[in-house]
Amino acid sequence: MFKRFVAMQTRRPVATCLVTGASVMSIGDSAVQLCGSGTLDVERNVVVSAYNAGSAPFFYFWWQTLDGMFPGKGWAAVARKTLVNQATMAPFNSALFLTWSTALEPWIKTIRKKGKDDPKMPPWLRSNIWEKVKSKVQSEIPELVVSQCGYWLPANAVNFMFMPQHLRVVFMSTCAVIWGGYISYVVHR
């Protein structure tokens, strides 16, 4: 199975990243939901998994860019890649994930309740969502950035130092199962 994954990652990197990203976030979020409340909110799971699916291909190419900027697997190159990745991507990715999840989940639930005929979000819901997004981003980003440093700095160092390029997404996706569960917990607490 692993050989098939590697072959698929080599032949179709974007599609494989997309599916892998969605799958690992779905697993992480499902674990958090089932351990917490004992029930699974499928809409929530779809929203967080869709975000990760969309961002995984970006990271595949971003890591290639970092390899081009800082070639090699020595300590200095790995430190540069890891620190640049953390400084540029951590705050941005966290804020975007919080915004996506906080805004999209209520909208999807509203559509389901109202029916598919009227997908417009009512103005009262729109303003309430953006206030919630603003509050969530302001209150959670500092803690998330600190948590990301403790978790992703070592994971990225291992990724850049030991993983061949075609296995980076699967390695980081494996790490992302745990992180996906944690960040989903933070967004939904």
Side-chain angles (χ1 to χ4, degrees), residues 50-115:
Y51 176 83
N52 216 46
S55 64
F58 167 80
F59 281 104
Y60 175 78
F61 292 110
W62 169 243
W63 295 326
Q64 288 180 349
T65 301
L66 288 176
D67 281 336
M69 291 169 57
F70 309 110
K73 293 188 175 203
W75 286 104
V78 168
R80 286 183 189 105
K81 288 181 229 187
T82 301
L83 292 174
V84 167
N85 186 63
Q86 193 66 33
T88 58
M89 291 298 124
F92 175 73
N93 195 36
S94 290
L96 196 55
F97 179 80
L98 285 169
T99 300
W100 172 275
S101 298
T102 305
L104 202 55
E105 281 180 49
W107 183 63
I108 287 174
K109 290 179 189 299
T110 301
I111 290 172
R112 187 174 58 85
K113 287 178 184 173
K114 289 178 80 177

Side-chain angles (χ1 to χ4, degrees), residues 18 21-27 29 44-54 97 100:
L18 196 138
S23 300
V24 298
M25 182 57 95
S26 180
I27 292 167
D29 180 61
R44 164 185 160 171
N45 193 270
V46 167
V47 168
V48 298
S49 298
Y51 176 83
N52 216 46
F97 179 80
W100 172 275

Side-chain angles (χ1 to χ4, degrees), residues 10 16 30 33 61 64 70 81 118 139 147 159 162-163 180:
T10 304
T16 306
S30 295
Q33 288 189 53
F61 292 110
Q64 288 180 349
F70 309 110
K81 288 181 229 187
D118 186 11
S139 67
S147 299
N159 190 37
F162 301 112
M163 292 295 128

